[in-house]
Amino acid sequence: MSLIQSIKSVLSPPHRAALPFLAITGGVTLLGRATPWRVTRWIGNIALAGFGFCLYFFRDPKRFPPPRADLALAPADGRVVSVELATPPASLGMGAEPVWRVATFLSVLNVHINRMPAAGRVTKISYHPGQFLNASLDKASDLNERNEVLLTLQDGRQMAVVQIAGLIARRIVCYVEEGTPVEAGERFGLIRFGSRTDLYLPPGVTPLVSAGQIMIGGETVIAHL
């Protein structure tokens, strides 16, 4: 990502999910700083810092997916923490054969909008309550609170995106419903304040990324389909 793109990303408008947080921190800021008392002004200054953090955390930059239908794109910004063969989530009915899984860890500094890796139709969504372990750990895929989204591609093959809550993240948001048609790079949800997103590729598809690589959601190519 170039310097100009980085600046545009930081200065991009916030996602609508930020509105309640901005309203609360903004209101406390105005009330606290409008009073003559030192304590309330101090509270107002803290709220102002929270307002700035919410603007930054919920930023929603525009992304430009490659104009090709044969690609699997990164479903989130962040750093790849593992690329390995793994059994898909049993609740999605993708079978027991291991497929390639690319796990991306999102810190509180990353853009937290989740995006569809390819065009197709959402055919199943399965939510699982769970723990809030460090999302960079492998066991987070099975133990943490998560939301599993099954995507059926236009050629009938299937892939899955799993939103996983982390040590700080406590709220998974998913806007799509079963039966919803989607496009590659389309926004479909977010996870508040640090998380992980796993992408299960279709059988026979090999990832082109490696652990440690930085992802740009909706733009970075994960694999050729």
Side-chain angles (χ1 to χ4, degrees):
M1 181 181 294
S2 67
L3 177 60
I4 295 178
Q5 288 176 315
S6 298
I7 294 175
K8 287 183 177 180
S9 175
V10 171
L11 299 179
S12 60
H15 189 271
R16 64 180 183 273
L19 296 180
F21 298 93
L22 293 175
I24 293 173
T25 55
V28 174
T29 297
L30 293 176
L31 292 175
R33 293 176 63 85
T35 61
W37 301 292
R38 180 178 298 178
V39 173
T40 53
R41 288 182 64 84
W42 179 74
I43 294 174
N45 290 336
I46 294 177
L48 179 60
F51 184 86
F53 172 76
C54 289
L55 279 177
Y56 179 76
F57 178 84
F58 286 101
R59 64 195 187 281
D60 185 11
K62 187 175 182 180
R63 294 289 164 79
F64 301 91
R68 290 176 53 175
D70 61 340
L71 302 175
L73 306 179
D77 288 34
R79 177 175 55 87
V80 176
V81 292
S82 70
V83 179
E84 59 186 0
L85 289 169
T87 302
S91 59
L92 296 183
M94 293 178 64
E97 177 185 353
V99 297
W100 283 104
R101 180 183 69 193
V102 178
T104 302
F105 175 74
L106 296 76
S107 76
V108 293
L109 301 180
N110 290 121
V111 171
H112 270 64
I113 305 300
N114 292 137
R115 297 174 182 270
M116 283 295 171
R121 185 177 296 274
V122 176
T123 47
K124 191 169 185 179
I125 298 176
S126 181
Y127 170 77
H128 303 269
Q131 303 179 41
F132 297 98
L133 304 175
N134 187 329
S136 64
L137 301 176
D138 284 341
K139 58 185 177 181
S141 295
D142 300 317
L143 299 180
N144 279 24
E145 177 178 343
R146 59 199 182 279
N147 187 59
E148 303 163 350
V149 179
L150 179 64
L151 176 64
T152 300
L153 306 181
Q154 296 172 340
D155 61 7
R157 289 181 295 170
Q158 295 180 321
M159 61 196 309
V161 183
V162 183
Q163 301 169 284
I164 303 172
L167 185 64
I168 301 175
R170 299 288 167 141
R171 181 76 171 95
I172 294 175
V173 180
C174 181
Y175 297 108
V176 295
E177 299 178 350
E178 293 182 0
T180 304
V182 294
E183 296 295 329
E186 180 180 332
R187 303 169 179 86
F188 77 90
L190 59 89
I191 315 173
R192 295 176 188 165
F193 310 122
S195 55
R196 170 172 161 174
T197 304
D198 287 356
L199 175 63
Y200 292 83
L201 295 170
V205 175
T206 303
L208 302 175
V209 299
S210 57
Q213 190 169 339
I214 301 302
M215 300 289 99
I216 299 177
E219 293 187 359
T220 303
V221 176
I222 296 285
H224 290 287
L225 296 174

